[in-house]
Amino acid sequence: MDIFLQQIINGLTLGSVYAVVALGYTMVYGIVQLINFAHGEVVMVGAMVGLSVIGALAASSGLPPLVVVLAGAMSAVPVCMAVGYTMERVAYRPLRGAPRLAPLITAIGISIILQQVAMLVWSRNPLSFPQIVANPVFEVAGAHVSAVQIAIVSVSVLMMAVLTLIVYRTRLGVAMRATSENAQMAGLMGVNVNQVIAATFVIGAALAAIAGVMIGTYYGIAHYKMGALLGMKAFAAAVLGGIGNLAGAMLGGILLGVVEALGTGYIGELTDLCHIDWISTSLAQRCAEDGHVVVFGSNYQDVFAFVVLILVLVFRPSGLLGERVGDRA
């Protein structure tokens, strides 16, 4: 039970990050029907910028640790917002009326470009998060919860709540929902569709920046290739919940994080051949020496996201909460 609870806590932490990144995917898809595969690289840029600023300030400023971390996060946000706006204005807007395959290929190209630019700026070497913030660990029913995990979940929930308020309680949110339903009709009613779409990319990039700093803080490291796998997992989370649906992205991210954590914690035990009587007899000597003959270890944790993605696409393509995106006129 202790292991189960610990993996649930780990899964909620990781799932919170997936949910925040998945919101960027689902917002863009809900409005322009585009899978922005470069979104994971925006997360990477946020992590690299944030950790660079944190490292520089920690070494020379003498500021309190919490202020240093906040400064790093606030530095990453405008940089990522500028990247998101530039992507939409330069790469996607000219292709808005093109066949859907064109912007999809462009998104992959933008992803590769951002990776290479990050490699030139920060080199191939990973950036390490300086150990400047105290990270006390609390015991809850035999499981351990760190202060960083509590902060990540809390900030993620806050960002989800703020985004929900923006979408459902502001004029920008009304314009976004109108554009999602029918961009042409929204334009005829006075909505500046170009500004709404640009704002969607900018808001998604801001969320990605915070997510990048959180994931860099959680793992203590950032790398120029980290965005590719993280982005694909967040995309799987968006599809799981129902891409185009904000609540679905949140639910899908949390569920995917929990599934991945539980799989990582139990896959070794479940695939230990020494626990299967009719197989263990043929492996008696090795089982006696090592105690375990594991087929799949915890290093297979990245597989679970894509297994879930395949199952959802096969059995429920619209996701758990369905897709609420209006057809284009």
Side-chain angles (χ1 to χ4, degrees):
M1 183 57 68
D2 292 349
I3 296 176
F4 176 78
L5 184 58
Q6 184 66 62
Q7 295 304 323
I8 290 292
I9 292 171
N10 295 340
L12 289 174
T13 305
L14 193 56
S16 298
V17 177
Y18 289 161
V20 172
V21 181
L23 287 172
Y25 278 103
T26 205
M27 287 172 61
V28 171
Y29 181 83
I31 291 182
V32 293
Q33 300 285 284
L34 167 68
I35 303 296
N36 180 19
F37 281 119
H39 190 63
E41 313 311 323
V42 180
V43 178
M44 175 270 296
V45 171
M48 301 295 273
V49 171
L51 265 64
S52 297
V53 173
I54 290 170
L57 292 178
S60 59
S61 68
L63 294 172
L66 184 58
V67 174
V68 171
V69 174
L70 291 176
M74 292 303 100
S75 300
V77 169
V79 173
C80 289
M81 291 171 71
V83 171
Y85 178 80
T86 303
M87 283 195 306
E88 191 279 329
R89 185 67 183 85
V90 175
Y92 298 142
R93 189 177 299 184
L95 297 174
R96 197 170 295 165
R100 290 188 181 182
L101 186 60
L104 181 64
I105 295 174
T106 301
I108 297 173
I110 293 295
S111 175
I112 296 172
I113 290 172
L114 289 176
Q115 278 191 21
Q116 298 307 306
V117 170
M119 183 183 68
L120 292 174
V121 174
W122 287 284
S123 80
R124 295 176 179 270
N125 300 322
L127 292 181
S128 299
F129 182 82
Q131 300 299 317
I132 59 173
V133 180
N135 187 23
V137 178
F138 309 97
E139 185 171 345
V140 179
H144 296 87
V145 186
S146 69
V148 169
Q149 289 178 309
I150 296 174
I152 288 175
V153 174
S154 301
V155 172
S156 298
V157 171
L158 177 62
M159 288 193 294
M160 295 175 200
V162 170
L163 179 61
T164 302
L165 289 175
I166 290 174
V167 172
Y168 293 103
R169 293 290 185 269
T170 66
R171 293 185 65 183
L172 175 60
V174 172
M176 291 169 66
R177 286 182 283 134
T179 304
S180 174
E181 290 294 332
N182 191 314
Q184 184 178 3
M185 186 61 67
L188 293 174
M189 296 300 293
V191 175
N192 190 324
V193 174
N194 287 333
Q195 287 186 1
V196 169
I197 294 174
T200 303
F201 274 86
V202 168
I203 293 172
L207 295 175
I210 302 298
V213 175
M214 289 194 300
I215 203 74
T217 305
Y218 185 52
Y219 287 111
I221 197 169
H223 190 259
Y224 78 99
K225 283 190 174 181
M226 65 177 284
L229 184 58
L230 178 61
M232 290 301 296
K233 288 182 178 181
F235 170 66
V239 174
L240 171 61
I243 192 163
N245 187 307
L246 294 181
M250 300 176 197
L251 176 63
I254 297 297
L255 288 179
L256 187 64
V258 171
V259 168
E260 183 175 319
L262 290 176
T264 302
Y266 289 101
I267 189 173
E269 181 178 352
L270 294 175
T271 61
D272 188 354
L273 299 182
C274 292
H275 292 167
I276 304 176
D277 294 336
W278 62 276
I279 296 180
S280 61
T281 53
S282 60
L283 300 173
Q285 182 176 357
R286 187 171 175 183
C287 289
E289 293 175 356
D290 300 335
H292 302 282
V293 178
V294 177
V295 178
F296 300 109
S298 60
N299 55 315
Y300 283 84
Q301 64 177 12
D302 296 331
V303 173
F304 294 104
F306 304 107
V307 170
V308 170
L309 176 61
I310 292 170
L311 292 176
V312 170
L313 290 175
V314 170
F315 294 105
R316 192 176 174 85
S318 62
L320 295 178
L321 299 185
E323 182 178 330
R324 301 181 61 84
V325 179
D327 294 334
R328 301 296 188 221

